[in-house]
Amino acid sequence: MAALETSPGPNLRSRSAALGGVVPPIWLLLVAGAAGLLVGSLRSSVFAQLTVQGLALGAVYGSLALALVLVYRATRVVNFAQGELAMATTYVAWQLIQWGLSYWEAFFATLAIAFVLGTVLEVVLVRPVQHRSVIAAVIVTVGLFILVDGIVNWIWGAEFKFMPSPFGTKIYHVGGVSIARLYPGMLAVVAISVVLVWALFRFTKLGLGMRAAAFRPAESALVGVRVDWMLAIGWGLATVLGAVAGLMAEPSQLLLEPTLMQPILVYAFAAAVLGGLDSPGGAVVGGLVIGVSLNLIVQYVPSITSELQAPFAFAVLVAVLLLKPSGLFGHREVRRV
Amino acid sequence: MTALLELEDVEARYGPVHALHGISLSVEEGSVVAVLGPNGAGKTTTLRSVSGTVRRSGRIAFAGRPIDRLGPDGVARLGVAHVPEGRGTFSELTVWENLRLGAYTRRGSIDPELERVFSYFPWLSERRKQQAGTLSGGEQQTLALARAFVHRPRLLLLDEPSLGLAPVLVAELFRIVRELNEREGLTVLVVEQNAHLALQAADAGYVLEAGQVALSGTSDELRADDSVRRSYLGY
Amino acid sequence: MRRRLPAIASLLAVAGLLSALPFLLSAYNVSLAAQVGIFFIAVLGLNILTGYTGQISIGHGAFMAIGGYTTAVMSQDHHTNLVVTMLMAFAICFVLGLILGLPALRLSGVYLALATFALAVSVPQLPLKWSKFLGGRDGVQTSKTVSHVWLYGAAWTASAILFALAWLILRGRVGRAFRAVRDSEIAAVASGIELPVYKTLAFGISAAYAGVAGSLFVLATNGFAAPDEFGIVLSLQLLVGAAVAGLGSLWGVLAGAAFVGLLPAVSSSVPLIGSNHGRDVVFGAAVILVMLLLPGGFAGLLARLRRFAGA
């Protein structure tokens, strides 16, 4: 046996070599940023409020970004309809509440519906086009965008609908800063969902199978993993995360209408690219960064008004694509000729 | 006595290209069988036909059951472990996760198998958190074997285990395969370019040429055969 | 020459039909036909980029916006002749397309799709920011409006000219270079084709076409250019048109333009569907079905039919 125990140093070619010397600077930047936020919050209550709100919104963006990343990792498709699906599932929740369910009953029922919807979509729409060109996959999700948008408008109309917030209107007062219960509530719900999904991937056999199927479908099949089921479940989970994003986005707007998720999709794209399209952790971090940055910048930089949030987020996206396409935490090299 | 694995008139193709033109072979339970032949003869394709990772037709039976319609996951669930060319390592995952994946189709605890595997390869236990892609070639090959073993298969399909390994390592590898066969009763079908080592470890063999079986027999018979000696053993 | 006969004959037939249409159709249908012509130009340009050169873009609505605003602003502020503004739109968008094509050199696949998506969403927001020059939310109005017949004539004349131009470009060295880039960038480089030149050129040309289409588009909406007219859906429609056309075929472009230009209008008049939103449902479903069932688009269908006919 001894002859096969070669290579004395197991970590000579360790993983961080792939990231090069970039890892320390990124973590330093993030820590520095967090410290800055803390200091600012202590000094100004407006700053603190904006930060908390930014984090809560950022959590929503991160949740949708995470959905995008899950889908991309599993099926190498960018789902342009992810936001509209999130919006549609939010309408489903609204309808369930209209039919008499309590908020949280509707919430969980919606998550279940979202899961089924996601798996069905993967089987019906994505499987046929997955291995064809990028353009085909993009157009199918674009068509889905238009279709879902149309269906929602058709069934429920474009007028605003009122949906009760599960967090009530209570406002906490912490050291001179007023924080609506809404924001920690949003953060908590998203955080719990993300952690649960993470735990699923990290600690369960199913999660391992899903990761294996996403990375190496051929080898996974050989060990008995049902790759097609894994991809479908991946889409199901992604749609659930999108539903969480939609359900948590709504209370912050108070009113439900069909364009709810359109700007958020923009921010989610920026967050996903910033974090790295194949990095789930990056998507969440990216979301938080974008959420807080947008909130602070709109307040403190006069020339960037709130209409320019979307273009600003996209400027970030394009900058990342040009400077470091694999994002802050991603691994894959964008093919260059 | 029915053999554990039986192929009868199996054809296989990659798109329009036919790689196997009617292969028949059988593998007795508890034996080690080698598949030899030049490049392009269809050796890898033969293994792929068994594990269901190529389009094939003809009769394939495992422990009496026909498996020619099953996909790879179905075949794996029946107790066939296929270690492909290139080892099939999940480079992005850790050593431990690779092992865990090996036993994917098994229900319940796999601790006894893990213990056995760690007793054969203690270093696997020490390095279980290491990312599999950072292992050396020999270590990955061992990991692949260990992964297959955790599956507790009845049949192990081994494709070109010696590829890219130093001769010393290859000899060791075949020794382990032989040991697994004798101690654990593992049936092995191994495709190998290194005919010498393969025939040493095997009880019987098939020589493939251009998608068909050219020769077959026990390893002694094959070693004594003139054409085999000249073409594959070099003397 | 003999082989070309069917193609020339069909061209003449189409030209004849197009000339006759204004006299045969109602005003509403003439403006619909004009709209198909506008989409024809834009989809033709996009097809050069996506179908022939293999670069995806979900952002050409932005170039339509730029072209449209060029026409509106020049007409409103300087009373420039409308046709002249269309030429200006062509030139400005060509240059901008070249410039914007430069960063696109480094991207491909989904990354390029995302970046062009960014373009499509961001550019229409700019008039809101620079409302002094560009009219803000209220938009910009041309000094003259045009009749639907004029629009029809302009749209299809421009289509004919630009179609001929595209045909000339694509049959020559440039076209071959484009196709080489699409089929294998590595092989293209190995054959000495300078990727940056041809990729940016494709961007420029497609942007110029979209610019002209944008000018006509503004004229079609009563000479009114506003941010809401150029939302992301426009870019999506262009890409869908190019895909339905079948990437890499000039003839399919007509089918693609008709699909995008007519289907929404036609489906909203079907009683069952009725509203605007019903039409979106039909359109979305149709797009998905076409992509799933007709992978090669209309051009693929044509090719299959030709093979079937044993040509």
Side-chain angles (χ1 to χ4, degrees):
Chain A
M1 283 322 151
L4 271 177
E5 289 167 50
T6 50
S7 91
N11 291 311
L12 280 177
R13 284 163 287 158
S14 70
R15 183 189 209 175
S16 58
L19 295 168
V22 190
V23 177
I26 291 177
W27 286 112
L28 278 177
L29 262 174
L30 286 175
V31 168
L37 287 178
L38 195 59
V39 166
S41 304
L42 290 172
R43 297 183 57 190
S44 152
S45 58
V46 170
F47 193 95
Q49 270 165 303
L50 287 173
T51 302
V52 171
Q53 186 185 33
L55 285 174
L57 290 172
V60 169
Y61 307 158
S63 184
L64 192 61
L66 185 56
L68 289 171
V69 166
L70 276 185
V71 160
Y72 183 71
R73 276 223 310 190
T75 51
R76 285 271 158 260
V77 165
V78 171
N79 185 1
F80 280 89
Q82 201 78 55
E84 297 305 279
L85 288 170
M87 178 270 289
T89 47
T90 310
Y91 266 88
V92 167
W94 179 85
Q95 187 65 66
L96 290 175
I97 293 177
Q98 297 308 108
W99 285 336
L101 268 66
S102 78
Y103 182 90
W104 291 107
E105 284 171 348
F107 182 89
F108 287 108
T110 302
L111 292 191
I113 293 172
F115 183 79
V116 171
L117 180 62
T119 52
V120 167
L121 284 175
E122 197 275 336
V123 172
V124 170
L125 289 189
V126 179
R127 237 175 251 183
V129 293
Q130 201 181 334
H131 298 291
R132 282 162 45 192
S133 62
V134 171
I135 293 175
V138 165
I139 292 185
V140 165
T141 62
V142 160
L144 187 60
F145 180 111
I146 299 173
L147 180 66
V148 170
D149 194 66
I151 290 179
V152 170
N153 272 292
W154 199 21
I155 298 181
W156 286 289
E159 317 82 45
F160 292 90
K161 306 237 181 306
F162 179 73
M163 189 150 122
S165 162
F167 305 113
T169 47
K170 187 163 168 59
I171 299 187
Y172 297 121
H173 296 279
V174 178
V177 180
S178 333
I179 300 181
R181 185 156 75 165
L182 170 65
Y183 298 120
M186 281 163 72
L187 258 172
V189 170
V190 172
I192 293 174
S193 317
V194 169
V195 166
L196 283 176
V197 170
W198 174 78
L200 174 78
F201 275 102
R202 186 78 167 66
F203 298 118
T204 65
K205 193 167 101 163
L206 175 67
L208 181 60
M210 286 172 68
R211 277 189 292 149
F215 288 134
R216 300 204 171 245
E219 288 83 342
S220 304
L222 282 181
V223 294
V225 173
R226 284 225 173 89
V227 173
D228 42 7
W229 284 13
M230 297 294 119
L231 299 187
I233 294 177
W235 266 69
L237 280 179
T239 313
V240 167
L241 282 169
V244 169
L247 285 164
M248 289 298 106
E250 193 280 330
S252 70
Q253 324 269 40
L254 270 187
L255 298 167
L256 179 60
E257 43 112 25
T259 59
L260 174 74
M261 295 304 283
Q262 282 176 15
I264 298 184
L265 181 67
V266 170
Y267 308 142
F269 272 137
V273 168
L274 179 64
L277 263 185
D278 58 343
S279 165
V284 175
V285 170
L288 292 172
V289 168
I290 298 243
V292 173
S293 314
L294 278 179
N295 238 23
L296 292 175
I297 287 175
V298 166
Q299 174 76 16
Y300 292 113
V301 177
S303 50
I304 300 194
T305 52
S306 65
E307 302 108 20
L308 286 184
Q309 282 188 98
F312 178 80
F314 268 130
V316 168
L317 183 152
V318 172
V320 172
L321 284 180
L322 293 179
L323 297 173
K324 190 173 190 298
S326 52
L328 294 178
F329 301 103
H331 300 303
R332 246 158 255 258
E333 251 287 305
V334 173
R335 206 204 67 183
R336 308 227 183 127
V337 175
Chain B
M1 179 175 83
T2 347
L4 182 64
L5 176 71
E6 280 183 341
L7 271 69
E8 200 178 300
D9 239 352
V10 170
E11 300 192 354
R13 58 191 180 90
Y14 297 99
V17 179
H18 283 260
L20 295 183
H21 303 289
I23 298 257
S24 299
L25 59 85
S26 70
V27 180
E28 302 290 337
E29 181 135 29
S31 68
V32 177
V33 173
V35 176
L36 310 173
N39 269 333
K43 313 191 295 292
T44 299
T45 314
T46 305
L47 291 189
R48 288 202 185 129
S49 306
V50 177
S51 68
T53 41
V54 73
R55 290 188 67 148
R56 74 273 206 232
S57 59
R59 200 182 135 259
I60 307 179
F62 179 70
R65 274 187 64 160
I67 60 170
D68 41 78
R69 292 252 163 275
L70 289 181
D73 45 273
V75 173
R77 237 166 282 135
L78 284 178
V80 177
H82 182 170
V83 177
E85 245 183 323
R87 293 143 213 154
T89 312
F90 294 93
S91 323
E92 298 84 4
L93 303 176
T94 64
V95 165
W96 192 87
E97 286 170 335
N98 269 265
L99 290 173
R100 189 72 195 71
L101 275 171
Y104 192 80
T105 53
R106 295 176 47 81
R107 293 166 208 268
S109 166
I110 58 165
D111 288 338
E113 280 74 24
L114 283 177
E115 260 183 60
R116 286 288 247 315
V117 155
F118 290 146
S119 73
Y120 276 115
F121 313 112
W123 66 268
L124 278 178
S125 175
E126 291 151 20
R127 311 237 227 113
R128 64 172 83 191
K129 293 244 191 283
Q130 184 176 343
Q131 200 193 1
T134 60
L135 296 174
S136 74
E139 291 166 338
Q140 285 194 27
Q141 188 62 59
T142 318
L143 175 60
L145 256 187
R147 199 177 68 234
F149 181 74
V150 177
H151 183 65
R152 275 321 230 140
R154 286 179 73 180
L155 172 65
L156 172 66
L157 303 174
L158 205 47
D159 197 345
E160 304 266 10
S162 70
L163 212 55
L165 293 188
V168 164
L169 298 180
V170 178
E172 180 67 17
L173 201 73
F174 272 99
R175 203 186 60 73
I176 298 173
V177 169
R178 193 74 223 178
E179 190 169 327
L180 284 175
N181 166 257
E182 281 160 12
R183 272 220 244 154
E184 316 279 347
L186 183 61
T187 311
V188 182
L189 180 61
V190 54
V191 158
E192 186 46 65
Q193 289 245 16
N194 188 329
H196 179 71
L197 274 178
L199 287 177
Q200 259 192 335
D203 303 309
Y206 290 84
V207 179
L208 295 189
E209 269 167 27
Q212 291 184 305
V213 176
L215 216 57
S216 66
T218 67
S219 48
D220 290 327
E221 287 168 0
L222 287 178
R223 260 182 297 203
D225 182 283
D226 281 340
S227 55
V228 171
R229 278 169 49 202
R230 249 178 283 123
S231 310
Y232 302 108
L233 296 175
Y235 59 88
Chain C
M1 192 56 198
R2 231 132 152 270
R3 266 207 307 157
R4 293 232 198 272
L5 266 175
I8 294 183
S10 20
L11 255 179
L12 286 175
V14 170
L17 184 64
L18 286 174
S19 329
L21 273 180
F23 305 106
L24 302 173
L25 296 175
S26 69
Y28 174 69
N29 286 329
V30 169
S31 52
L32 263 189
Q35 202 167 32
V36 172
I38 295 174
F39 275 115
F40 182 83
I41 298 172
V43 171
L44 185 56
L46 187 58
N47 207 349
I48 293 178
L49 179 66
T50 310
Y52 281 89
T53 320
Q55 307 299 302
I56 191 173
S57 168
I58 322 184
H60 270 52
F63 293 115
M64 281 183 75
I66 295 173
Y69 264 85
T70 304
T71 290
V73 169
M74 292 311 292
S75 171
Q76 180 182 83
D77 292 346
H78 303 279
H79 298 278
T80 321
N81 176 284
L82 290 174
V83 175
V84 171
T85 63
M86 281 166 56
L87 291 171
M88 292 173 71
F90 187 89
I92 291 177
C93 287
F94 180 70
V95 171
L96 280 176
L98 288 179
I99 295 175
L100 288 170
L102 284 174
L105 286 175
R106 306 186 53 184
L107 304 170
S108 65
V110 283
Y111 295 99
L112 187 56
L114 284 174
T116 51
F117 186 72
L119 198 65
V121 172
S122 309
V123 165
Q125 302 279 77
L126 294 178
L128 293 175
K129 181 76 176 109
W130 294 323
S131 34
K132 245 198 319 162
F133 296 120
L134 298 176
R137 177 134 269 148
D138 300 322
V140 178
Q141 174 73 49
T142 54
S143 55
K144 272 173 50 174
T145 52
V146 297
S147 72
H148 52 265
V149 177
W150 189 98
L151 189 64
Y152 177 90
W156 285 105
T157 312
S159 298
I161 297 173
L162 292 171
F163 181 83
L165 180 64
W167 187 76
L168 280 173
I169 295 175
L170 290 172
R171 73 194 285 253
R173 207 169 111 233
V174 174
R176 280 199 297 274
F178 284 163
R179 272 183 288 261
V181 171
R182 173 192 65 194
D183 294 335
S184 165
E185 292 198 8
I186 299 177
V189 170
S191 324
I193 294 179
E194 288 180 44
L195 281 187
V197 169
Y198 289 102
K199 275 182 167 182
T200 20
L201 189 60
F203 248 96
I205 296 175
S206 59
Y209 275 56
V212 172
S215 293
L216 288 163
F217 187 76
V218 160
L219 293 174
T221 54
N222 271 322
F224 184 63
D228 290 341
E229 303 281 325
F230 296 103
I232 179 68
V233 182
L234 188 59
S235 294
L236 297 180
Q237 282 181 305
L238 293 184
L239 188 64
V240 167
V244 167
L247 307 175
S249 152
L250 289 182
W251 289 109
V253 174
L254 192 56
F259 183 84
V260 175
L262 293 180
L263 185 59
V266 165
S267 54
S268 63
S269 53
V270 172
L272 178 64
I273 295 160
S275 65
N276 272 352
H277 301 300
R279 133 190 122 180
D280 284 342
V281 172
V282 171
F283 188 68
V287 167
I288 293 176
L289 282 172
V290 167
M291 282 323 287
L292 290 181
L293 300 175
L294 274 184
F298 188 73
L301 186 63
L302 270 184
R304 254 188 273 169
L305 287 175
R306 240 183 262 146
R307 253 180 285 151
F308 192 68

